[in-house]
mmCIF file of all heavy atoms in Angstrom:
data_model
loop_
_atom_site.group_PDB
_atom_site.id
_atom_site.type_symbol
_atom_site.label_atom_id
_atom_site.label_comp_id
_atom_site.label_asym_id
_atom_site.label_seq_id
_atom_site.Cartn_x
_atom_site.Cartn_y
_atom_site.Cartn_z
ATOM 1 N N ASN L 397 85.572 54.416 8.954
ATOM 2 C CA ASN L 397 85.050 53.075 8.635
ATOM 3 C C ASN L 397 84.622 52.337 9.905
ATOM 4 O O ASN L 397 83.585 51.674 9.952
ATOM 5 C CB ASN L 397 86.114 52.254 7.904
ATOM 6 C CG ASN L 397 86.215 52.690 6.451
ATOM 7 O OD1 ASN L 397 85.346 53.388 5.948
ATOM 8 N ND2 ASN L 397 87.304 52.316 5.789
ATOM 9 N N ILE L 398 85.487 52.495 10.970
ATOM 10 C CA ILE L 398 85.144 51.837 12.244
ATOM 11 C C ILE L 398 83.814 52.378 12.756
ATOM 12 O O ILE L 398 82.919 51.623 13.166
ATOM 13 C CB ILE L 398 86.255 52.064 13.305
ATOM 14 C CG1 ILE L 398 87.530 51.328 12.885
ATOM 15 C CG2 ILE L 398 85.802 51.589 14.691
ATOM 16 C CD1 ILE L 398 88.741 51.615 13.770
ATOM 17 N N LEU L 399 83.658 53.713 12.672
ATOM 18 C CA LEU L 399 82.417 54.322 13.198
ATOM 19 C C LEU L 399 81.197 53.907 12.369
ATOM 20 O O LEU L 399 80.135 53.595 12.920
ATOM 21 C CB LEU L 399 82.545 55.848 13.228
ATOM 22 C CG LEU L 399 83.466 56.420 14.309
ATOM 23 C CD1 LEU L 399 83.578 57.931 14.185
ATOM 24 C CD2 LEU L 399 82.932 56.072 15.701
ATOM 25 N N THR L 400 81.334 53.859 11.015
ATOM 26 C CA THR L 400 80.189 53.456 10.179
ATOM 27 C C THR L 400 79.785 52.017 10.526
ATOM 28 O O THR L 400 78.601 51.709 10.745
ATOM 29 C CB THR L 400 80.557 53.530 8.676
ATOM 30 O OG1 THR L 400 81.223 54.761 8.448
ATOM 31 C CG2 THR L 400 79.342 53.396 7.782
ATOM 32 N N GLY L 401 80.773 51.134 10.562
ATOM 33 C CA GLY L 401 80.482 49.726 10.899
ATOM 34 C C GLY L 401 79.894 49.603 12.288
ATOM 35 O O GLY L 401 78.916 48.875 12.520
ATOM 36 N N GLY L 402 80.503 50.355 13.203
ATOM 37 C CA GLY L 402 80.022 50.295 14.592
ATOM 38 C C GLY L 402 78.585 50.777 14.701
ATOM 39 O O GLY L 402 77.754 50.168 15.406
ATOM 40 N N ASN L 403 78.248 51.870 14.004
ATOM 41 C CA ASN L 403 76.866 52.393 14.066
ATOM 42 C C ASN L 403 75.872 51.399 13.477
ATOM 43 O O ASN L 403 74.772 51.214 13.998
ATOM 44 C CB ASN L 403 76.776 53.728 13.317
ATOM 45 C CG ASN L 403 77.193 54.869 14.227
ATOM 46 O OD1 ASN L 403 76.836 54.901 15.408
ATOM 47 N ND2 ASN L 403 78.008 55.783 13.711
ATOM 48 N N ARG L 404 76.304 50.744 12.366
ATOM 49 C CA ARG L 404 75.418 49.747 11.758
ATOM 50 C C ARG L 404 75.175 48.587 12.745
ATOM 51 O O ARG L 404 74.062 48.111 12.911
ATOM 52 C CB ARG L 404 76.061 49.232 10.471
ATOM 53 C CG ARG L 404 75.028 48.744 9.465
ATOM 54 C CD ARG L 404 75.662 48.328 8.174
ATOM 55 N NE ARG L 404 76.123 49.449 7.392
ATOM 56 C CZ ARG L 404 77.007 49.358 6.386
ATOM 57 N NH1 ARG L 404 77.533 48.208 6.069
ATOM 58 N NH2 ARG L 404 77.367 50.418 5.710
ATOM 59 N N LEU L 405 76.261 48.211 13.424
ATOM 60 C CA LEU L 405 76.144 47.131 14.412
ATOM 61 C C LEU L 405 75.225 47.550 15.563
ATOM 62 O O LEU L 405 74.376 46.775 16.038
ATOM 63 C CB LEU L 405 77.547 46.798 14.947
ATOM 64 C CG LEU L 405 77.695 45.476 15.674
ATOM 65 C CD1 LEU L 405 77.262 44.318 14.799
ATOM 66 C CD2 LEU L 405 79.146 45.280 16.119
ATOM 67 N N LEU L 406 75.351 48.804 15.981
ATOM 68 C CA LEU L 406 74.503 49.300 17.078
ATOM 69 C C LEU L 406 73.027 49.277 16.672
ATOM 70 O O LEU L 406 72.150 48.904 17.446
ATOM 71 C CB LEU L 406 74.943 50.718 17.462
ATOM 72 C CG LEU L 406 74.227 51.290 18.680
ATOM 73 C CD1 LEU L 406 74.579 50.477 19.930
ATOM 74 C CD2 LEU L 406 74.620 52.755 18.908
ATOM 75 N N LYS L 407 72.785 49.669 15.380
ATOM 76 C CA LYS L 407 71.399 49.671 14.883
ATOM 77 C C LYS L 407 70.833 48.238 14.927
ATOM 78 O O LYS L 407 69.718 48.004 15.392
ATOM 79 C CB LYS L 407 71.380 50.220 13.457
ATOM 80 C CG LYS L 407 70.001 50.475 12.923
ATOM 81 C CD LYS L 407 70.049 51.185 11.578
ATOM 82 C CE LYS L 407 68.709 51.130 10.898
ATOM 83 N NZ LYS L 407 68.600 50.102 9.887
ATOM 84 N N LEU L 408 71.675 47.310 14.484
ATOM 85 C CA LEU L 408 71.240 45.911 14.475
ATOM 86 C C LEU L 408 70.957 45.415 15.903
ATOM 87 O O LEU L 408 69.924 44.791 16.183
ATOM 88 C CB LEU L 408 72.325 45.049 13.813
ATOM 89 C CG LEU L 408 72.105 43.541 13.826
ATOM 90 C CD1 LEU L 408 70.890 43.164 12.992
ATOM 91 C CD2 LEU L 408 73.325 42.795 13.318
ATOM 92 N N ILE L 409 71.875 45.763 16.806
ATOM 93 C CA ILE L 409 71.691 45.325 18.196
ATOM 94 C C ILE L 409 70.407 45.934 18.778
ATOM 95 O O ILE L 409 69.623 45.258 19.453
ATOM 96 C CB ILE L 409 72.924 45.701 19.037
ATOM 97 C CG1 ILE L 409 74.107 44.828 18.596
ATOM 98 C CG2 ILE L 409 72.672 45.521 20.523
ATOM 99 C CD1 ILE L 409 75.442 45.288 19.151
ATOM 100 N N ASN L 410 70.183 47.201 18.469
ATOM 101 C CA ASN L 410 68.960 47.860 18.972
ATOM 102 C C ASN L 410 67.709 47.188 18.421
ATOM 103 O O ASN L 410 66.721 46.994 19.134
ATOM 104 C CB ASN L 410 68.962 49.337 18.603
ATOM 105 C CG ASN L 410 69.882 50.114 19.513
ATOM 106 O OD1 ASN L 410 70.193 49.669 20.623
ATOM 107 N ND2 ASN L 410 70.359 51.270 19.061
ATOM 108 N N GLU L 411 67.775 46.819 17.140
ATOM 109 C CA GLU L 411 66.622 46.136 16.529
ATOM 110 C C GLU L 411 66.376 44.793 17.212
ATOM 111 O O GLU L 411 65.237 44.427 17.504
ATOM 112 C CB GLU L 411 66.878 45.922 15.039
ATOM 113 C CG GLU L 411 66.495 47.123 14.196
ATOM 114 C CD GLU L 411 66.739 46.897 12.708
ATOM 115 O OE1 GLU L 411 67.382 45.888 12.345
ATOM 116 O OE2 GLU L 411 66.293 47.729 11.926
ATOM 117 N N ILE L 412 67.456 44.069 17.456
ATOM 118 C CA ILE L 412 67.317 42.752 18.107
ATOM 119 C C ILE L 412 66.712 42.922 19.502
ATOM 120 O O ILE L 412 65.805 42.190 19.911
ATOM 121 C CB ILE L 412 68.682 42.027 18.187
ATOM 122 C CG1 ILE L 412 69.135 41.656 16.783
ATOM 123 C CG2 ILE L 412 68.597 40.790 19.064
ATOM 124 C CD1 ILE L 412 70.498 40.993 16.711
ATOM 125 N N LEU L 413 67.183 43.924 20.203
ATOM 126 C CA LEU L 413 66.654 44.178 21.551
ATOM 127 C C LEU L 413 65.165 44.515 21.494
ATOM 128 O O LEU L 413 64.359 44.006 22.278
ATOM 129 C CB LEU L 413 67.444 45.332 22.183
ATOM 130 C CG LEU L 413 67.222 45.522 23.667
ATOM 131 C CD1 LEU L 413 67.688 44.297 24.430
ATOM 132 C CD2 LEU L 413 67.993 46.751 24.160
#
Side-chain angles (χ1 to χ4, degrees):
N397 283 346
I398 293 173
L399 287 177
T400 314
N403 275 319
R404 207 176 287 162
L405 196 57
L406 186 65
K407 189 173 166 261
L408 175 65
I409 290 168
N410 283 338
E411 275 181 350
I412 292 177
L413 192 63

